[in-house]
């Protein structure tokens, strides 16, 4: 919300009340409570009226300070509330509070220090001020209604479509807002806010936290999250389920502003020595992601949307993919598995699938696939389920008692009321019946266009504006928990489009409806990087784009980006995404990338376990791992996959000159994704500008990395990850110890922990915990490396040059837990 006319003037019709003077501070139950007057207190007469704000500073866990600003305490809290610490225990917070002339509160190195007159405060860590709330930066404002009409909740079709909102109530003359502003330091940059597809760096943008179904090429977003990350070294989460309006240096260029409608605003200021620590603390607060099953990291193939879904088509696709070594792990049936106009009926169309249980069983047995079905929470009035649900009160209703309906997407559709326990149980029963037929997962589509005006829920205390964003959490939680009940913890996955704060608990999520262009591919990447800077660990998208048919070179370039995302799905709208449609060369390239991803599963799944335990994102922006490199702050066309692998997708054909950046250190090309044979080594920091063949993607491994790979040609991701492991050592750092955890592939179980130590004369690789079922070491070091001897292993091939994928390969002797490689290094400049 913008309250000002320029910097000096207030808009006509806006009346602000600023917190100007601290009049009292008191410690209550490990919290610092302030009374802040909206006018100077010169004598007792100035205390006779308000507003006076009740400001509470508290620490729910180590390294986080919460601030709750309240005007009227008697107003009921906005519900449903965002769950805090839903699946993790807060870390004990050693809180230190001082009151009196200069109050403060500290936890885990983070301090909020209050200046009483004029009222302001700072957040600092390790004796460094992170940001400042300047005077007149905390306030309420009564705003003329005309200034509120540009908010997302006001401009949406849900507010203006005659079917969505036919019985309109008079708008109030003024609307009460409560707001908080923080300083924007020179060079400070902001990120996150959920899956935002615009400029990756959010400075200068106005962002409304209000889920909408707007594709990937607009300011609207499917997954809005009221959280941002700042390069100043903090994250900020606004604990409000409804619409939150952010002005990121867009109203006042040196302020980031937060505003909501109402009488109370709460936010959490999250510190951390690294971006990963900030994100870990944020996900401790709002929820850590479930660990997806290992099979979900394989290739997902869809029927596409508006195409033929018959059994012959499905079988033909699976057979063609198998023959081309592009083995599918999950087959997805999109909307038309049900009859047209009946979505959702949760019943297979008998014309296409006369015996669904038998057919699903046959393709699962023959092709080794899991089955995913498209669903949404909407019920068409032509669905055979509509009358029952309407009669039993399972739908969201208008305030006059009618079922809420409109025609967008399906004729006369209604929306299941997820606040109604009976409706949830009814919806769940439909999913259970499908699982009885052999379904393993659900694509939980939609849930963005949830009405908020003149409607009511079964749970009548819930605020309709809050439910607009929170609905998707309830929907995906219901489906995820239903799958968990059948397949156990670690056995459930949804493929969701919409989400909100805390939705990272129910993975995974894909990027929505994107055009089949390089521009669409870039939008998807920006959205994914923003999402993983908002607490989400797993991401996916429609490889090749959704809208339209991609040219072959777009499809092939997108394959590389898609396969080296956490989850990989081929899906389109009016055209298929099987590779031979784009030429047999596309199929060969897909087979190469898929085999490479399967080999990387010990590494990738270890990152998934870290995400589950600590909230670390897998696919993430460069700044997450290189926050001290200012160049990394703006990079949005490349990413890290975990801490070791860098990928730079190419957004052009085979003549396109791409450009990417390698931060400081030694980077080794990951062959055969980039070149073959002896891999090149590049010293950063450096920009690389080159033409990359269609069959390759710039992929590099960071120096000091220990990369665990599985065997080649496994055809699937779910194999014994601790069997026949190849440990790739990339330029081990002298005098340091690197550790690598290798999962078994059974949930979060770690089969073995390996350490690597290096000095000038030798490299020692040791299994310090657990065991490996056969393993080897491939050493990448400077080109003039000379092997002097090896203990516990046998040199496999020539030690004088890099062969095959590069590096020097040693096969560990049977039963050994330690390999010592003695070598002489004669470093050269590359």
């Amino acid at each position: 919300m913008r309250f000002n006319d320029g910097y000096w003037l207030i808009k006509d019709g806006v009346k602000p009340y600023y917190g100007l003077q601290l009049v009292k501070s008191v410690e209550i139950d490990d919290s610092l409570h302030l009374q802040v007057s909206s006018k100077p207190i010169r004598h007792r007469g100035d205390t006779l009226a308000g507003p006076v704000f009740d400001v509470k500073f508290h620490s729910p866990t180590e390294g986080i300070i919460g601030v709750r600003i309240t005007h009227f305490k008697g107003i009921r809290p906005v519900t449903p509330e965002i769950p805090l610490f839903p699946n993790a225990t807060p870390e004990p917070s050693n809180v230190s509070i001082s009151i009196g002339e200069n109050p403060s509160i500290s936890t885990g190195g983070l301090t909020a220090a209050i200046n009483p007159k004029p009222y302001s405060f700072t957040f600092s860590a390790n004796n460094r001020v992170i940001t400042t709330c300047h005077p007149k930066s905390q306030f309420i404002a009564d705003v003329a209604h005309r200034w509120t009409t540009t908010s997302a909740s006001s401009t949406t079709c849900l507010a203006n479509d005659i079917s969505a909102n036919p019985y309109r109530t008079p708008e109030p003359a003024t609307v009460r807002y409560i707001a908080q502003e923080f300083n924007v330091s020179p060079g400070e940059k902001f990120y996150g806010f959920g899956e935002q597809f615009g400029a990756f760096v959010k400075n200068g943008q106005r962002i409304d936290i209000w889920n909408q179904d707007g594709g990937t090429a607009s300011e609207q977003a499917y997954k809005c999250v009221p959280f941002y990350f700042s390069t100043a070294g903090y994250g900020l989460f606004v604990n409000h389920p409804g619409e939150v309006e952010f002005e990121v240096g867009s109203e006042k260029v040196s302020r980031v502003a937060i505003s909501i409608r109402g009488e109370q605003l709460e936010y959490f200021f999250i510190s951390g020595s690294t971006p990963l620590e900030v994100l870990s603390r944020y996900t401790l607060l709002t929820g850590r992601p479930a660990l997806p099953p290992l099979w979900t990291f394989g290739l997902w193939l869809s029927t596409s949307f508006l195409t033929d879904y018959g059994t012959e088509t499905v079988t033909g696709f699976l057979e063609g993919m198998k023959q081309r070594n592009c083995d599918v792990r999950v087959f997805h049936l999109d909307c038309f598995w049900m009859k047209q106009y009946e979505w959702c009926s949760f019943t297979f169309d008998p014309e296409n699938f006369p015996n669904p249980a038998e057919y699903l069983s046959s393709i699962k047995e023959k092709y080794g696939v899991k089955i995913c079905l498209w669903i949404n929470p909407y019920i068409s009035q032509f669905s055979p389920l509509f009358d029952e649900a309407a009669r039993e009160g399972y739908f969201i209703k208008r305030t006059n008692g009618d079922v809420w309906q409109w025609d967008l997407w399906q004729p006369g559709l209604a929306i299941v009321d997820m606040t109604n326990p009976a409706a949830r149980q009814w919806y769940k029963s439909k999913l259970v019946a499908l699982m009885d037929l052999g379904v393993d997962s659900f694509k939980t589509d939609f849930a963005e266009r949830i009405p908020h005006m003149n409607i009511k829920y079964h749970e009548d205390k819930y605020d309709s504006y809050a439910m607009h964003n929170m609905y998707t959490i309830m929907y995906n939680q219901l489906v995820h928990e239903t799958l968990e009940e059948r397949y156990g913890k670690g056995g459930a996955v949804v493929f969701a489009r919409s989400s909100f704060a805390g939705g990272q608990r129910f993975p995974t999520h894909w990027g929505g409806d994107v055009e089949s262009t390089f521009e669409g591919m870039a939008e998807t990447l920006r959205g994914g990087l923003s999402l993983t800077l908002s607490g989400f660990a797993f991401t996916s998208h429609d490889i090749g784009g959704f809208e339209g048919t991609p040219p072959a070179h777009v499809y092939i370039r997108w394959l590389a980006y898609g396969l080296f995302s956490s989850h990989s799905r081929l899906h389109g709208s009016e055209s298929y995404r099987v590779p031979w449609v784009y030429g047999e060369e596309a199929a060969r390239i897909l087979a190469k990338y898929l085999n490479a991803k399967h080999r990387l599963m010990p590494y990738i799944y270890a990152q998934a376990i870290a995400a589950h335990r600590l909230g670390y994102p897998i696919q993430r922006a460069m700044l997450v791992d290189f926050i001290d490199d200012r160049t990394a702050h703006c990079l949005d066309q490349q990413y890290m996959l975990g801490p070791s692998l860098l990928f730079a997708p190419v957004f052009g054909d085979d003549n396109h000159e791409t450009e990417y950046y390698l931060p400081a250190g030694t980077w080794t090309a990951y062959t055969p994704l980039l070149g073959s044979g002896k891999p090149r080594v590049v010293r950063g920091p450096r920009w690389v500008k080159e033409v990359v063949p269609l069959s390759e993607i710039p992929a590099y491994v960071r120096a000091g990395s220990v990369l665990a790979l599985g065997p080649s040609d496994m055809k699937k991701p779910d194999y014994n990850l601790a069997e026949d492991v190849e440990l790739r050592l990339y330029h081990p750092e002298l005098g340091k110890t690197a550790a690598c955890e290798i999962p078994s592939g059974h949930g979060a179980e770690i089969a073995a922990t390996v350490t690597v130590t290096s000095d000038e004369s030798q490299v020692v690789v040791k299994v310090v915990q657990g065991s490996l079922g056969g393993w080897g070491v491939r050493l990448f070091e400077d080109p003039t490396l000379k092997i002097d001897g090896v203990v516990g292993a046998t040199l496999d091939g020539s030690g004088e040059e890099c062969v095959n994928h590069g590096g020097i390969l040693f096969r560990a002797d049977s039963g050994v837990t330690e390999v010592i490689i003695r070598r002489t290094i004669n470093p050269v400049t590359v």
Side-chain angles (χ1 to χ4, degrees):
M1 179 65 195
R2 297 182 179 181
F3 305 96
N4 282 40
D5 178 3
Y7 187 74
W8 306 112
L9 301 179
I10 302 297
K11 287 179 178 178
D12 179 54
V14 175
K15 188 175 183 180
Y17 299 88
Y18 301 106
L20 296 179
Q21 183 175 332
L22 173 64
V23 294
K24 183 180 180 181
S25 64
V26 62
E27 180 181 352
I28 303 174
D29 297 331
D30 290 330
S31 299
L32 175 63
H33 289 254
L34 309 179
Q35 289 179 5
V36 180
S37 172
S38 61
K39 58 184 177 181
I41 305 300
R42 296 159 296 185
H43 50 74
R44 283 186 172 182
D46 291 331
T47 68
L48 298 182
V52 175
F53 303 121
D54 178 2
V55 184
K56 175 185 177 183
F57 287 77
H58 62 108
S59 178
T61 187
E62 188 82 356
I64 299 179
I65 292 178
V67 181
R68 180 182 298 167
I69 312 153
T70 302
H71 178 218
F72 289 151
K73 293 176 66 175
I75 302 297
R76 290 181 300 171
V78 176
T79 56
E81 296 178 339
I82 300 171
L84 300 181
F85 304 104
N87 58 10
T89 303
E91 297 175 0
S93 183
N94 184 17
V95 180
S96 174
I97 294 175
S98 66
I99 58 175
E101 190 172 333
N102 296 106
S104 66
I105 180 171
S106 299
T107 170
L110 174 65
T111 298
I114 291 89
N115 180 60
K117 185 178 179 181
Y119 172 66
S120 61
F121 56 90
T122 61
F123 283 105
S124 60
N126 301 317
N127 298 315
R128 177 181 67 87
V129 173
I130 300 174
T131 194
T132 301
C133 167
H134 292 286
K136 293 188 175 182
S137 291
Q138 196 177 85
F139 58 94
I140 61 171
D142 293 331
V143 180
H145 178 263
R146 66 182 183 274
W147 298 120
T148 71
T149 57
T150 58
S151 69
S153 62
S154 298
T155 59
T156 172
C157 56
L158 289 164
N160 298 292
D161 181 88
I162 188 63
S163 296
N165 188 22
Y167 310 117
R168 305 187 184 192
T169 54
E171 300 291 352
T174 59
V175 179
R176 172 68 52 80
Y177 278 81
I178 186 165
Q180 171 74 66
E181 297 175 349
F182 285 109
N183 188 68
V184 178
S185 300
E188 183 179 1
K189 294 180 176 62
F190 298 86
Y191 312 86
F193 304 96
E195 184 186 50
Q196 302 291 331
F197 299 106
F200 175 56
V201 178
K202 300 303 186 286
N203 296 52
Q205 297 183 40
R206 171 183 175 171
I207 299 172
D208 278 5
I209 303 302
W210 187 259
N211 285 351
Q212 298 188 79
D213 177 0
T216 67
S218 76
E219 81 285 359
Q220 298 180 8
Y222 304 103
K223 310 171 191 68
C224 294
V225 180
F227 171 85
Y228 69 74
F229 172 80
S230 164
T231 54
Y234 75 94
L236 190 140
F237 167 58
V238 179
N239 185 24
H240 182 71
E243 185 176 26
V244 183
E245 299 177 58
F246 287 93
E247 300 285 350
V248 189
S250 46
E251 182 188 24
K252 300 174 184 177
V253 296
S254 59
R255 300 287 187 272
V256 55
I258 309 153
S259 60
I260 65 171
R261 304 183 189 199
E263 302 286 351
Q264 186 179 87
L265 170 65
E266 183 177 49
Y267 58 86
F268 293 94
F269 193 94
I270 305 168
S271 68
S273 58
T274 66
L276 286 176
E277 187 173 28
V278 171
L279 292 172
S280 185
R281 284 174 169 166
Y282 168 66
T283 56
L284 179 72
L285 183 67
T286 59
R288 296 272 165 78
L291 180 64
L294 187 56
W295 54 262
T296 68
F297 292 84
L299 181 62
W300 296 53
L301 176 65
S302 164
T303 55
S304 288
F305 172 36
L306 298 173
T307 49
D308 177 41
Y309 286 49
T311 56
E312 289 186 9
T313 299
V314 173
T315 302
F317 280 177
L318 292 172
E319 186 63 33
M321 295 292 279
K322 183 176 182 179
Q323 290 175 358
R324 292 169 174 84
N325 294 315
C326 301
D327 295 77
V328 175
R329 193 64 186 92
V330 184
F331 193 81
H332 169 71
L333 293 162
D334 218 50
C335 316
F336 282 96
W337 67 272
M338 295 175 281
K339 281 186 177 182
Q340 64 184 22
Y341 291 145
E342 292 189 1
W343 308 338
C344 283
S345 65
F346 302 102
T347 302
F348 278 88
D349 182 349
E351 292 184 12
N352 285 325
F353 301 96
N355 190 335
E358 181 181 298
Y359 181 67
L360 295 184
S361 176
S362 68
I363 62 172
K364 291 178 76 169
E365 181 178 356
K366 184 173 183 179
Y367 299 106
V369 294
K370 299 286 187 176
I371 299 297
C372 175
L373 290 185
W374 176 94
I375 59 172
N376 69 20
Y378 309 153
I379 308 293
S380 162
Q381 68 181 11
F382 294 110
S383 167
L385 302 178
F386 184 91
D387 290 345
E388 175 195 0
R391 182 178 63 252
E392 298 298 328
Y394 295 160
F395 292 139
I396 297 172
K397 294 180 180 179
R398 303 189 192 278
T399 50
N400 67 0
D402 291 343
V403 171
W404 186 95
Q405 291 179 264
W406 71 344
D407 287 320
L408 196 58
W409 178 242
Q410 285 287 280
L413 74 79
I415 302 177
V416 176
D417 184 348
M418 291 292 171
T419 75
N420 184 341
R424 289 199 302 270
Q425 189 62 35
W426 174 80
Y427 194 90
K428 175 182 174 180
S429 70
K430 310 306 176 187
L431 306 183
V432 170
L434 291 169
M435 289 189 288
D436 290 342
L437 297 178
V439 174
D440 303 285
S441 176
F442 295 101
K443 172 183 170 181
T444 48
D445 206 352
F446 289 84
E448 303 92 1
R449 289 177 177 153
I450 304 301
H452 60 289
M453 289 187 166
N454 302 309
I455 58 103
K456 63 180 181 180
Y457 286 90
H458 173 82
E459 185 59 72
D460 59 6
K461 70 179 181 180
Y462 283 173
D463 180 86
S464 60
Y465 276 75
M467 278 298 298
H468 173 84
N469 286 334
M470 287 293 292
Y471 184 94
T472 179
I473 301 296
M474 296 181 178
Y475 165 47
N476 280 293
Q477 181 173 5
L478 173 65
V479 179
H480 195 274
E481 289 178 351
T482 301
L483 288 162
E484 265 190 346
E485 288 177 13
R486 171 62 62 92
Y487 300 118
K489 289 282 186 182
V493 68
V494 297
F495 211 84
R497 189 174 74 175
S498 62
S499 197
F500 182 62
Q504 67 269 10
R505 291 176 287 153
F506 315 114
T508 188
H509 298 81
W510 100 96
D513 299 345
V514 58
E515 293 183 324
S516 299
T517 63
F518 283 126
E519 291 77 13
M521 180 175 158
E523 292 161 8
T524 297
L525 180 53
R526 289 195 301 270
L529 296 181
S530 293
L531 187 67
T532 57
L533 271 167
S534 305
F536 286 70
F538 305 99
T539 57
S540 189
H541 52 269
D542 295 338
I543 296 174
F546 178 74
E547 299 287 355
T549 302
H553 61 276
V554 171
Y555 177 85
I556 290 171
R557 293 295 196 195
W558 212 318
L559 285 175
Y561 163 40
L563 265 295
F564 299 106
S565 300
S566 74
H567 288 78
S568 309
R569 184 180 73 155
L570 295 166
H571 178 66
S573 179
E574 298 180 358
S575 55
Y576 296 122
R577 293 294 179 266
V578 287
W580 56 87
V581 171
Y582 307 92
E584 289 298 332
E585 180 63 16
R588 287 189 287 272
I589 292 170
L590 172 55
K592 179 179 79 167
Y593 290 154
L594 185 57
N595 181 56
K597 184 174 188 181
H598 289 162
R599 289 207 69 191
L600 280 167
M601 281 315 303
Y603 170 77
I604 292 174
Y605 207 59
Q607 306 313 310
I609 293 171
H612 171 60
R613 290 175 172 171
L614 301 170
Y616 293 171
I618 296 181
Q619 187 177 23
R620 59 213 198 199
M622 296 295 297
L623 69 95
V624 173
D625 293 280
F626 301 96
I627 191 64
D628 293 328
D629 186 338
R630 292 179 69 88
T631 302
H633 293 183
C634 297
L635 299 176
D636 62 2
Q637 294 183 38
Q638 59 185 78
Y639 58 89
M640 296 296 291
L641 192 69
S644 299
L645 281 168
L646 182 155
F647 290 94
V650 180
F651 299 89
D653 61 18
D654 54 355
N655 294 314
H656 175 73
E657 194 170 39
T658 193
E659 192 171 14
Y660 54 91
Y661 176 75
L662 300 175
T666 301
W667 295 86
T668 305
Y670 185 78
T671 54
L673 302 182
L674 185 64
S676 60
K678 182 178 178 179
R680 62 173 163 161
V681 176
V682 181
R683 311 286 186 192
R686 178 181 168 185
W687 283 95
V688 178
K689 195 171 187 178
E690 62 185 356
V691 175
V692 178
L694 275 178
S695 60
E696 299 178 6
I697 179 176
Y700 287 86
V701 188
R702 188 178 184 179
S705 296
V706 182
L707 209 59
L709 273 65
S712 188
D713 299 320
M714 294 303 293
K715 308 295 187 185
K716 61 181 182 179
D718 41 328
Y719 54 89
N720 185 345
L721 302 183
E723 188 78 29
D724 295 328
V725 175
E726 179 181 302
L727 297 170
R728 291 192 173 186
L729 318 183
Y730 288 89
H731 296 265
E733 297 180 273
L734 300 182
K736 295 186 177 180
T737 298
C740 173
E741 289 187 334
I742 301 170
S744 67
H746 302 293
E749 179 184 78
I750 300 299
T753 301
V754 176
T755 61
V756 177
T757 56
S758 174
D759 59 32
E760 294 182 351
S761 63
Q762 64 182 20
V763 177
V764 179
V765 185
K766 187 173 184 179
V767 180
V768 294
Q769 287 184 344
S771 62
L772 295 174
W775 57 289
V777 175
R778 190 183 292 272
L779 178 63
F780 295 80
E781 277 195 316
D782 290 285
T784 56
L785 172 70
K786 179 178 180 294
I787 300 299
D788 298 323
V790 60
V791 177
T794 303
L795 180 63
D796 188 347
S798 171
E800 298 179 358
E801 63 179 356
C802 298
V803 292
N804 298 325
H805 299 312
I808 302 171
L809 181 61
F810 304 86
R811 299 289 184 188
D813 297 338
S814 178
V816 304
T817 59
E818 183 177 79
V819 170
I820 301 173
I821 304 168
R822 299 193 174 98
R823 46 76 168 112
T824 303
I825 304 175
N826 298 303
V828 298
T829 301
V830 179

